Amino acid sequence: MSVVEFEPVNRQSTSEMIADRLRAAIVHGTLRPGSQLVEADLATQFDVSRGPVREAMQRLVSEGLLISIRHRGIFVIELNPQDVADIYRARTALEGGALNLILDGRRDIAHAALEPSITAMTECAGRGDATGVTEADYAFHQALVASADSPRLMRAAQTLLIETRMCLGALQTTYTDLGEQVREHVGLREAIASAPPKKARDLLTAHMTDAVARLHDLLDDDTA
């Protein structure tokens, strides 16, 4: 029997690669909220045809990172205080659900899973790397949801955490002491491991509420 030889394929399409780069630029603040994305300009910058750029932009529209305004174009979303409150309301429900599953027999698993992000956060704070702390913060909450071992919660978290990345980029500017951000997460991790369930739940809720308050103050200052 003859063997057909196939050329290796690129596992990631051009549009996916463009979407990844645009997504990273948005969540890290390189593309600022409200910025307009022009298809022709991006095609020139990426040195591709306009088709993959259009597909990438539509992908990010569906993820909620871009918004298409009729007769005007496509823009990076701008989060207002109501958006922030809604994002964290949804996160509280989702991560609270994950926490309930963790507290029902998966505490040791979660404690171990959260260790790498705590270590990274501590190291980054020690050298004054606010962006690194933010990345570790993001990883912490990913690990928290993953520790619940619920594929559906994890899928729901993926989209929500994309919007969260935009919030975290702004949130890092509200901490004058990065160590405070680290201590919040260390306390939450230890509570997940061994504190009474109510205390662990209360700490998670307080963590989310504090973030909303910080971001509201920041957004209010920006519009003043």
Side-chain angles (χ1 to χ4, degrees):
M1 186 174 90
S2 62
V3 177
V4 179
E5 295 186 2
F6 294 100
E7 290 292 327
V9 297
N10 186 343
R11 292 180 180 272
Q12 189 177 41
S13 71
T14 301
S15 64
E16 288 174 331
M17 288 188 285
I18 293 171
D20 284 348
R21 293 187 186 182
L22 292 176
R23 189 184 297 110
I26 292 169
V27 298
H28 291 115
T30 307
L31 281 172
R32 302 289 299 169
S35 299
Q36 183 173 10
L37 275 63
V38 180
E39 185 181 296
D41 292 345
L42 289 173
T44 299
Q45 292 181 49
F46 286 117
D47 193 24
V48 297
S49 66
R50 294 171 65 162
V53 172
R54 186 180 308 117
E55 185 178 338
M57 292 167 68
Q58 289 305 317
R59 183 188 298 265
L60 297 188
V61 168
S62 68
E63 290 179 5
L65 288 180
L66 299 179
I67 182 170
S68 179
I69 301 177
R70 187 175 177 83
H71 302 311
R72 288 188 57 199
I74 294 181
F75 300 81
V76 179
I77 63 165
E78 298 182 87
L79 297 177
N80 59 40
Q82 291 73 35
D83 294 324
V84 169
D86 194 44
I87 289 168
Y88 277 86
R89 186 183 302 116
R91 282 188 63 194
T92 301
L94 191 150
E95 293 188 36
L99 179 59
N100 285 336
L101 293 173
I102 289 168
L103 294 173
D104 187 22
R106 302 185 64 81
R107 287 184 168 217
D108 289 344
I109 292 170
H111 189 257
L114 295 170
E115 181 180 6
S117 56
I118 290 293
T119 298
M121 198 179 297
T122 302
E123 292 174 351
C124 290
R127 59 175 181 264
D129 179 3
T131 300
V133 171
T134 294
E135 293 297 324
D137 186 333
Y138 180 77
F140 179 98
H141 290 279
Q142 279 188 308
L144 173 62
V145 177
S147 296
D149 194 30
S150 168
R152 287 166 181 80
L153 278 179
M154 197 64 205
R155 282 201 299 271
Q158 291 306 314
T159 298
L160 190 56
L161 284 171
I162 289 171
E163 290 185 300
T164 298
R165 285 289 287 270
M166 296 186 71
C167 294
L168 290 177
L171 189 62
Q172 75 180 37
T173 67
T174 70
Y175 285 91
T176 55
D177 174 15
L178 292 176
E180 181 183 356
Q181 193 171 355
V182 177
R183 289 188 292 273
E184 285 180 16
H185 289 82
V186 169
L188 181 55
R189 178 184 179 234
E190 294 309 312
I192 288 170
S194 57
K198 183 178 185 305
K199 181 177 179 180
R201 295 187 186 101
D202 287 348
L203 277 178
L204 178 63
T205 300
H207 180 64
M208 298 295 184
T209 302
D210 178 67
V212 171
R214 288 172 178 273
L215 288 165
H216 273 211
D217 288 345
L218 183 66
L219 291 170
D220 286 344
D221 289 343
D222 287 343
T223 57

